[in-house]
Amino acid sequence: MKRYPVPLVPGPTAVPPAVLEAGHYDFGSADLEEEFFDQYARVEEKLRAIIQTRNRIAIMSGEAMVALWGALKSTLSPGDRVLSVATGVFGYGIAEMARTITAEVTVVGFGHDEAADAEQVWAAIETFRPKMVTMVHVETPSGVVNPVAKVGEAVRALGVPLFYVDAVAAAGGAELATDAWGIDLCLVGSQKCLSAPPGLGMVAVSDRAWEEIDKTGYQGYDALAPFREALDRRWFPYTPCWQAIAGLEAACDRILSLGLASVIQDHAEVAAHTRHRLRQMGLCLFPRHEADCAPTVTAVRVPDAVSWDDLDRRLRAEGVVMGGSIGPLAGGVFRIGHMGTQADLALVDTGLDALARILA
Ligand SMILES: *Cc1c(COP(=O)(O)O)cnc(C)c1O
Protein backbone atom coordinates (compact mmCIF):
# COMPACT_ATOMS: atom_id res chain seq x y z
CA MET A 1 0.00 0.00 0.00
CA LYS A 2 1.25 3.47 -0.89
CA ARG A 3 2.05 5.54 2.18
CA TYR A 4 1.98 9.31 2.37
CA PRO A 5 4.12 11.00 5.01
CA VAL A 6 1.71 13.93 5.45
CA PRO A 7 -1.79 12.59 6.22
CA LEU A 8 -4.38 15.39 6.41
CA VAL A 9 -7.52 13.46 5.52
CA PRO A 10 -10.53 14.18 7.77
CA GLY A 11 -10.77 10.54 8.84
CA PRO A 12 -9.68 7.88 9.09
CA THR A 13 -6.86 9.77 10.80
CA ALA A 14 -3.31 8.55 11.32
CA VAL A 15 -3.15 5.92 14.09
CA PRO A 16 -0.12 6.20 16.38
CA PRO A 17 2.15 3.14 16.76
CA ALA A 18 1.20 2.64 20.45
CA VAL A 19 -2.45 2.33 19.45
CA LEU A 20 -1.72 -0.11 16.62
CA GLU A 21 0.47 -2.09 18.99
CA ALA A 22 -2.25 -2.30 21.66
CA GLY A 23 -4.61 -3.86 19.13
CA HIS A 24 -2.10 -6.51 18.12
CA TYR A 25 -3.09 -9.49 20.07
CA ASP A 26 -4.68 -12.67 19.06
CA PHE A 27 -5.89 -14.47 22.11
CA GLY A 28 -9.22 -15.99 22.89
CA SER A 29 -12.83 -15.01 22.39
CA ALA A 30 -13.44 -11.66 24.07
CA ASP A 31 -16.82 -12.62 25.51
CA LEU A 32 -15.38 -15.58 27.42
CA GLU A 33 -12.57 -13.74 29.13
CA GLU A 34 -12.88 -11.76 32.36
CA GLU A 35 -9.92 -9.68 31.22
CA PHE A 36 -11.99 -8.42 28.28
CA PHE A 37 -14.89 -7.32 30.47
CA ASP A 38 -12.48 -5.39 32.67
CA GLN A 39 -11.04 -3.72 29.60
CA TYR A 40 -14.47 -2.85 28.19
CA ALA A 41 -15.40 -1.25 31.53
CA ARG A 42 -12.20 0.79 31.50
CA VAL A 43 -12.71 1.95 27.91
CA GLU A 44 -16.27 2.97 28.72
CA GLU A 45 -15.02 5.04 31.66
CA LYS A 46 -12.33 6.71 29.54
CA LEU A 47 -14.81 7.53 26.78
CA ARG A 48 -17.11 8.99 29.42
CA ALA A 49 -14.36 11.36 30.47
CA ILE A 50 -13.73 12.41 26.86
CA ILE A 51 -17.36 13.12 25.97
CA GLN A 52 -18.31 14.21 29.50
CA THR A 53 -21.11 11.89 30.44
CA ARG A 54 -22.13 9.50 33.19
CA ASN A 55 -24.27 7.52 30.76
CA ARG A 56 -23.72 3.96 29.66
CA ILE A 57 -21.82 3.80 26.37
CA ALA A 58 -22.54 1.06 23.84
CA ILE A 59 -19.39 0.15 21.90
CA MET A 60 -20.54 -1.49 18.68
CA SER A 61 -18.55 -3.26 15.97
CA GLY A 62 -19.00 -1.35 12.73
CA GLU A 63 -18.25 2.07 11.31
CA ALA A 64 -19.82 5.12 12.96
CA MET A 65 -22.80 4.64 10.62
CA VAL A 66 -23.75 1.59 12.72
CA ALA A 67 -24.20 3.99 15.65
CA LEU A 68 -26.16 6.52 13.56
CA TRP A 69 -28.57 3.85 12.28
CA GLY A 70 -28.76 1.86 15.49
CA ALA A 71 -29.69 4.87 17.61
CA LEU A 72 -32.52 5.84 15.21
CA LYS A 73 -33.92 2.34 14.77
CA SER A 74 -33.73 1.58 18.48
CA THR A 75 -35.76 4.62 19.55
CA LEU A 76 -38.19 5.42 16.71
CA SER A 77 -41.42 3.78 15.68
CA PRO A 78 -43.41 4.50 12.49
CA GLY A 79 -45.12 7.89 12.70
CA ASP A 80 -42.89 9.28 15.45
CA ARG A 81 -42.10 12.94 14.87
CA VAL A 82 -38.48 13.82 14.24
CA LEU A 83 -37.14 17.32 13.75
CA SER A 84 -33.85 17.21 11.89
CA VAL A 85 -31.58 20.23 12.09
CA ALA A 86 -29.57 20.08 8.87
CA THR A 87 -26.63 22.18 7.73
CA GLY A 88 -24.78 19.63 5.64
CA VAL A 89 -24.44 16.18 4.14
CA PHE A 90 -24.79 14.29 7.41
CA GLY A 91 -27.58 16.47 8.84
CA TYR A 92 -29.74 16.09 5.71
CA GLY A 93 -28.71 12.42 5.52
CA ILE A 94 -29.92 11.69 9.04
CA ALA A 95 -33.33 13.17 8.11
CA GLU A 96 -33.50 10.75 5.15
CA MET A 97 -32.49 7.85 7.38
CA ALA A 98 -35.26 8.67 9.86
CA ARG A 99 -37.72 8.80 6.93
CA THR A 100 -36.77 5.30 5.83
CA ILE A 101 -37.88 4.02 9.22
CA THR A 102 -41.12 5.86 8.46
CA ALA A 103 -40.77 8.55 11.07
CA GLU A 104 -42.60 11.79 10.30
CA VAL A 105 -39.66 14.07 9.63
CA THR A 106 -39.48 17.85 9.41
CA VAL A 107 -36.20 19.43 8.38
CA VAL A 108 -35.00 22.79 9.67
CA GLY A 109 -32.51 23.30 6.87
CA PHE A 110 -29.64 25.71 6.38
CA GLY A 111 -27.01 26.20 3.68
CA HIS A 112 -24.01 23.89 3.75
CA ASP A 113 -21.82 26.95 4.38
CA GLU A 114 -23.53 28.06 7.58
CA ALA A 115 -24.27 26.83 11.09
CA ALA A 116 -27.78 26.22 12.42
CA ASP A 117 -29.61 29.15 13.97
CA ALA A 118 -30.80 28.03 17.41
CA GLU A 119 -33.72 30.49 17.48
CA GLN A 120 -35.13 29.09 14.26
CA VAL A 121 -34.77 25.61 15.72
CA TRP A 122 -36.54 26.77 18.88
CA ALA A 123 -39.52 28.06 16.85
CA ALA A 124 -39.67 24.88 14.77
CA ILE A 125 -39.74 22.70 17.91
CA GLU A 126 -42.62 24.80 19.30
CA THR A 127 -44.78 24.25 16.22
CA PHE A 128 -43.81 20.67 15.33
CA ARG A 129 -43.53 19.19 18.86
CA PRO A 130 -41.18 16.35 17.89
CA LYS A 131 -40.29 13.24 19.88
CA MET A 132 -36.69 13.64 18.75
CA VAL A 133 -34.40 16.42 17.57
CA THR A 134 -31.40 15.32 15.49
CA MET A 135 -28.33 17.38 14.66
CA VAL A 136 -24.67 17.10 13.69
CA HIS A 137 -22.00 18.68 15.86
CA VAL A 138 -19.29 19.02 13.21
CA GLU A 139 -20.31 18.66 9.56
CA THR A 140 -17.17 17.05 8.24
CA PRO A 141 -17.86 17.54 4.48
CA SER A 142 -18.26 21.32 4.90
CA GLY A 143 -16.13 22.10 7.97
CA VAL A 144 -18.98 23.70 9.95
CA VAL A 145 -19.53 23.44 13.72
CA ASN A 146 -23.11 23.68 14.98
CA PRO A 147 -24.38 25.21 18.26
CA VAL A 148 -25.28 21.97 20.04
CA ALA A 149 -25.36 23.55 23.52
CA LYS A 150 -27.90 26.19 22.43
CA VAL A 151 -30.13 23.73 20.61
CA GLY A 152 -29.88 21.50 23.68
CA GLU A 153 -31.32 24.34 25.77
CA ALA A 154 -34.33 24.54 23.46
CA VAL A 155 -34.74 20.76 23.52
CA ARG A 156 -34.86 20.71 27.32
CA ALA A 157 -36.92 23.88 27.78
CA LEU A 158 -39.57 22.63 25.36
CA GLY A 159 -39.62 19.10 26.77
CA VAL A 160 -38.51 17.16 23.67
CA PRO A 161 -37.96 13.57 24.88
CA LEU A 162 -34.86 12.74 22.82
CA PHE A 163 -31.83 14.73 21.60
CA TYR A 164 -29.74 12.84 19.02
CA VAL A 165 -26.32 14.32 18.23
CA ASP A 166 -23.82 13.05 15.66
CA ALA A 167 -20.56 14.02 17.37
CA VAL A 168 -18.44 11.70 15.22
CA ALA A 169 -16.12 14.45 13.96
CA ALA A 170 -16.13 16.42 17.23
CA ALA A 171 -15.65 13.99 20.13
CA GLY A 172 -12.09 14.31 21.38
CA GLY A 173 -11.35 17.43 19.34
CA ALA A 174 -14.07 19.96 20.15
CA GLU A 175 -15.85 21.12 23.28
CA LEU A 176 -18.53 18.47 23.91
CA ALA A 177 -20.49 18.22 27.18
CA THR A 178 -22.88 15.35 26.59
CA ASP A 179 -24.72 15.49 29.93
CA ALA A 180 -24.62 19.26 30.47
CA TRP A 181 -26.03 19.80 26.97
CA GLY A 182 -28.76 17.20 27.52
CA ILE A 183 -27.70 14.83 24.74
CA ASP A 184 -29.65 11.55 24.98
CA LEU A 185 -27.93 9.75 22.13
CA CYS A 186 -24.36 10.92 21.58
CA LEU A 187 -22.79 9.26 18.55
CA VAL A 188 -19.05 8.75 18.26
CA GLY A 189 -16.70 6.92 15.89
CA SER A 190 -13.26 5.49 16.51
CA GLN A 191 -11.52 6.81 13.39
CA LYS A 192 -11.85 10.62 13.58
CA CYS A 193 -10.53 12.71 16.53
CA LEU A 194 -9.80 9.66 18.68
CA SER A 195 -7.32 8.37 16.08
CA ALA A 196 -8.11 4.74 16.80
CA PRO A 197 -8.42 2.34 13.88
CA PRO A 198 -11.75 2.35 12.01
CA GLY A 199 -14.38 -0.20 12.92
CA LEU A 200 -16.15 0.90 16.12
CA GLY A 201 -19.26 3.03 16.62
CA MET A 202 -20.12 4.29 20.09
CA VAL A 203 -23.39 5.62 21.51
CA ALA A 204 -23.77 7.23 24.95
CA VAL A 205 -27.37 6.52 25.95
CA SER A 206 -29.30 8.51 28.59
CA ASP A 207 -31.88 7.00 30.96
CA ARG A 208 -34.69 8.62 28.95
CA ALA A 209 -33.31 7.03 25.80
CA TRP A 210 -33.10 3.58 27.46
CA GLU A 211 -36.80 3.90 28.32
CA GLU A 212 -37.64 4.60 24.67
CA ILE A 213 -35.40 1.73 23.59
CA ASP A 214 -37.39 -0.63 25.86
CA LYS A 215 -40.68 0.64 24.46
CA THR A 216 -39.56 0.42 20.83
CA GLY A 217 -38.28 -3.16 21.16
CA TYR A 218 -36.12 -3.00 18.03
CA GLN A 219 -33.98 -6.07 17.41
CA GLY A 220 -31.16 -6.33 14.89
CA TYR A 221 -27.41 -6.29 14.56
CA ASP A 222 -27.36 -2.54 15.21
CA ALA A 223 -29.85 -2.66 18.13
CA LEU A 224 -28.82 -0.78 21.25
CA ALA A 225 -31.00 -2.77 23.67
CA PRO A 226 -28.52 -5.61 24.39
CA PHE A 227 -25.84 -3.11 25.41
CA ARG A 228 -27.79 -1.88 28.42
CA GLU A 229 -26.74 -4.88 30.48
CA ALA A 230 -24.18 -6.58 28.26
CA LEU A 231 -21.33 -5.86 30.62
CA ASP A 232 -23.17 -6.83 33.82
CA ARG A 233 -24.55 -10.01 32.27
CA ARG A 234 -21.34 -10.89 30.45
CA TRP A 235 -23.53 -11.32 27.38
CA PHE A 236 -22.79 -9.30 24.24
CA PRO A 237 -25.00 -9.52 21.13
CA TYR A 238 -22.00 -10.67 19.06
CA THR A 239 -18.34 -11.41 19.71
CA PRO A 240 -16.83 -8.02 20.50
CA CYS A 241 -13.72 -7.08 18.52
CA TRP A 242 -11.17 -7.24 21.31
CA GLN A 243 -8.37 -5.90 19.13
CA ALA A 244 -10.37 -2.82 18.16
CA ILE A 245 -11.44 -2.16 21.75
CA ALA A 246 -7.87 -2.57 23.01
CA GLY A 247 -6.76 -0.07 20.35
CA LEU A 248 -9.53 2.29 21.43
CA GLU A 249 -8.31 2.15 25.02
CA ALA A 250 -4.80 3.18 23.97
CA ALA A 251 -6.30 5.95 21.83
CA CYS A 252 -8.31 7.27 24.81
CA ASP A 253 -5.15 7.06 26.95
CA ARG A 254 -3.32 9.27 24.43
CA ILE A 255 -5.94 12.00 24.82
CA LEU A 256 -6.35 11.70 28.59
CA SER A 257 -2.63 11.69 29.28
CA LEU A 258 -2.22 14.89 27.24
CA GLY A 259 -5.25 16.29 29.09
CA LEU A 260 -8.64 16.73 27.39
CA ALA A 261 -8.71 20.52 27.81
CA SER A 262 -5.25 20.86 26.32
CA VAL A 263 -6.12 18.58 23.38
CA ILE A 264 -9.21 20.65 22.64
CA GLN A 265 -7.18 23.84 22.90
CA ASP A 266 -4.61 22.42 20.45
CA HIS A 267 -7.36 21.67 17.94
CA ALA A 268 -8.65 25.25 18.19
CA GLU A 269 -5.15 26.68 17.71
CA VAL A 270 -4.24 24.45 14.79
CA ALA A 271 -7.57 25.28 13.12
CA ALA A 272 -7.07 29.04 13.58
CA HIS A 273 -3.52 28.77 12.23
CA THR A 274 -4.74 26.77 9.22
CA ARG A 275 -7.39 29.38 8.40
CA HIS A 276 -4.87 32.19 8.75
CA ARG A 277 -2.42 30.57 6.34
CA LEU A 278 -5.12 29.70 3.82
CA ARG A 279 -6.26 33.32 3.76
CA GLN A 280 -2.66 34.43 3.31
CA MET A 281 -2.54 32.22 0.21
CA GLY A 282 -5.61 34.03 -1.09
CA LEU A 283 -7.86 31.00 -0.65
CA CYS A 284 -11.50 31.23 0.36
CA LEU A 285 -12.80 29.29 3.36
CA PHE A 286 -16.01 27.43 2.58
CA PRO A 287 -18.07 28.39 5.68
CA ARG A 288 -19.53 31.87 5.22
CA HIS A 289 -18.61 33.03 8.74
CA GLU A 290 -15.33 32.30 10.45
CA ALA A 291 -17.18 31.69 13.74
CA ASP A 292 -18.86 28.65 12.12
CA CYS A 293 -15.54 27.03 11.14
CA ALA A 294 -14.93 23.70 12.86
CA PRO A 295 -11.88 23.14 15.07
CA THR A 296 -11.32 19.66 13.62
CA VAL A 297 -11.54 20.10 9.83
CA THR A 298 -11.17 23.11 7.55
CA ALA A 299 -13.11 23.26 4.28
CA VAL A 300 -11.76 25.45 1.49
CA ARG A 301 -13.10 26.36 -1.94
CA VAL A 302 -11.08 24.84 -4.77
CA PRO A 303 -9.58 27.90 -6.54
CA ASP A 304 -10.79 28.58 -10.11
CA ALA A 305 -7.34 28.05 -11.61
CA VAL A 306 -7.20 24.30 -10.77
CA SER A 307 -9.47 21.29 -10.53
CA TRP A 308 -9.60 19.24 -7.34
CA ASP A 309 -8.39 16.14 -9.22
CA ASP A 310 -5.35 18.03 -10.42
CA LEU A 311 -4.66 19.58 -7.02
CA ASP A 312 -5.05 16.19 -5.34
CA ARG A 313 -2.58 14.61 -7.77
CA ARG A 314 -0.01 17.34 -7.21
CA LEU A 315 -0.38 17.22 -3.41
CA ARG A 316 0.06 13.44 -3.45
CA ALA A 317 3.17 13.81 -5.57
CA GLU A 318 4.55 15.84 -2.63
CA GLY A 319 3.48 13.20 -0.11
CA VAL A 320 0.47 15.15 1.16
CA VAL A 321 -3.08 13.80 1.22
CA MET A 322 -5.92 16.20 1.94
CA GLY A 323 -9.59 15.33 1.50
CA GLY A 324 -11.92 16.17 -1.37
CA SER A 325 -15.53 16.61 -0.36
CA ILE A 326 -18.71 14.65 -0.97
CA GLY A 327 -22.30 15.16 -2.11
CA PRO A 328 -23.07 18.59 -3.54
CA LEU A 329 -19.62 19.87 -2.53
CA ALA A 330 -17.62 17.27 -4.47
CA GLY A 331 -15.09 18.97 -6.75
CA GLY A 332 -15.80 22.46 -5.41
CA VAL A 333 -14.46 22.05 -1.89
CA PHE A 334 -11.41 20.36 -0.41
CA ARG A 335 -10.65 19.72 3.25
CA ILE A 336 -7.76 19.71 5.64
CA GLY A 337 -8.33 17.21 8.43
CA HIS A 338 -6.50 18.49 11.51
CA MET A 339 -8.17 16.22 14.01
CA GLY A 340 -6.79 13.69 16.47
CA THR A 341 -3.10 12.97 15.87
CA GLN A 342 -3.28 15.35 12.89
CA ALA A 343 -3.99 18.37 15.13
CA ASP A 344 -0.29 19.01 14.86
CA LEU A 345 1.12 22.39 13.82
CA ALA A 346 4.26 21.00 12.19
CA LEU A 347 2.30 18.41 10.19
CA VAL A 348 -0.27 20.96 9.04
CA ASP A 349 2.47 23.45 8.12
CA THR A 350 4.23 20.84 5.98
CA GLY A 351 0.97 20.23 4.14
CA LEU A 352 0.22 23.93 3.74
CA ASP A 353 3.76 24.62 2.50
CA ALA A 354 3.19 22.08 -0.27
CA LEU A 355 -0.20 23.62 -1.08
CA ALA A 356 1.38 27.09 -1.25
CA ARG A 357 4.13 25.85 -3.63
CA ILE A 358 1.58 24.19 -5.90
CA LEU A 359 -0.68 27.24 -6.07
CA ALA A 360 2.15 29.79 -6.41
C1 LIG B 1 -17.22 10.19 9.40
C2 LIG B 1 -18.56 10.63 9.85
C3 LIG B 1 -19.64 9.74 9.97
C4 LIG B 1 -19.61 8.33 9.51
O1 LIG B 1 -18.52 7.67 9.92
P1 LIG B 1 -18.06 6.28 9.27
O2 LIG B 1 -16.95 5.93 10.14
O3 LIG B 1 -17.67 6.59 7.87
O4 LIG B 1 -19.22 5.37 9.34
C5 LIG B 1 -20.83 10.24 10.46
N1 LIG B 1 -20.97 11.52 10.81
C6 LIG B 1 -19.97 12.41 10.70
C7 LIG B 1 -20.20 13.83 11.08
C8 LIG B 1 -18.73 11.99 10.22
O5 LIG B 1 -17.72 12.85 10.09
Side-chain angles (χ1 to χ4, degrees):
M1 198 165 84
K2 195 161 163 48
R3 289 178 194 281
Y4 296 92
V6 188
L8 290 169
V9 175
T13 53
V15 179
V19 173
L20 287 174
E21 193 93 344
H24 266 175
Y25 59 101
D26 52 0
F27 164 73
S29 179
D31 48 358
L32 297 177
E33 301 296 330
E34 204 50 36
E35 192 190 335
F36 170 76
F37 299 116
D38 291 345
Q39 181 158 46
Y40 186 100
R42 284 198 307 276
V43 177
E44 188 179 21
E45 202 53 38
K46 288 169 185 179
L47 285 170
R48 282 183 180 133
I50 291 171
I51 65 169
Q52 296 178 46
T53 183
R54 292 308 311 156
N55 292 335
R56 166 119 284 172
I57 300 179
I59 307 174
M60 309 163 93
S61 292
E63 275 302 299
M65 290 311 293
V66 80
L68 268 64
W69 276 112
L72 290 176
K73 290 195 206 161
S74 297
T75 54
L76 294 177
S77 300
D80 279 347
R81 288 174 171 230
V82 173
L83 187 122
S84 290
V85 180
T87 72
V89 172
F90 284 102
Y92 285 99
I94 288 165
E96 285 308 310
M97 288 158 64
R99 271 194 192 109
T100 67
I101 37 185
T102 64
E104 189 189 332
V105 181
T106 285
V107 176
V108 193
F110 300 87
H112 287 242
D113 60 348
E114 60 184 351
D117 176 79
E119 276 170 32
Q120 259 171 269
V121 176
W122 190 295
I125 293 173
E126 275 184 321
T127 43
F128 187 58
R129 292 287 162 189
K131 168 179 168 178
M132 176 190 279
V133 169
T134 70
M135 78 183 294
V136 177
H137 193 176
V138 168
E139 271 289 355
T140 329
S142 40
V144 165
V145 61
N146 277 306
V148 179
K150 277 197 196 149
V151 171
E153 276 172 35
V155 165
R156 283 193 307 287
L158 299 172
V160 180
L162 294 174
F163 189 26
Y164 170 110
V165 175
D166 171 352
V168 174
E175 204 77 53
L176 167 60
T178 301
D179 291 355
W181 296 352
I183 302 173
D184 296 290
L185 296 153
C186 185
L187 315 168
V188 180
S190 54
Q191 49 113 325
K192 302 277 167 79
C193 311
L194 302 178
S195 292
L200 294 175
M202 288 77 83
V203 190
V205 183
S206 73
D207 291 342
R208 288 197 296 189
W210 284 122
E211 281 168 32
E212 289 302 326
I213 289 165
D214 271 353
K215 275 192 240 162
T216 306
Y218 169 67
Q219 296 189 348
Y221 181 83
D222 55 356
L224 284 171
F227 286 91
R228 189 174 192 175
E229 293 179 344
L231 189 58
D232 302 331
R233 290 191 185 163
R234 283 16 189 171
W235 188 251
F236 279 78
Y238 40 77
T239 308
C241 183
W242 198 342
Q243 288 83 351
I245 289 174
L248 182 60
E249 178 168 31
C252 291
D253 286 341
R254 181 186 68 84
I255 292 172
L256 296 172
S257 66
L258 292 166
L260 181 64
S262 141
V263 167
I264 288 171
Q265 179 66 24
D266 287 348
H267 278 80
E269 282 171 17
V270 171
H273 175 77
T274 303
R275 295 194 296 269
H276 175 72
R277 284 206 58 188
L278 290 167
R279 272 195 309 263
Q280 274 184 330
M281 285 179 220
L283 291 172
C284 184
L285 300 175
F286 179 68
R288 214 182 299 173
H289 306 292
E290 179 140 10
D292 298 341
C293 287
T296 53
V297 51
T298 296
V300 195
R301 287 182 192 277
V302 176
D304 290 339
V306 288
S307 70
W308 164 245
D309 286 347
D310 192 33
L311 187 55
D312 184 32
R313 230 183 340 267
R314 289 159 75 184
L315 283 165
R316 284 172 191 261
E318 301 231 17
V320 179
V321 212
M322 296 182 177
S325 193
I326 56 174
L329 309 183
V333 167
F334 71 104
R335 298 170 301 156
I336 299 168
H338 38 69
M339 57 177 75
T341 50
Q342 297 168 195
D344 177 315
L345 270 184
L347 179 77
V348 166
D349 269 334
T350 309
L352 292 173
D353 288 346
L355 183 65
R357 277 195 302 277
I358 290 166
L359 296 178

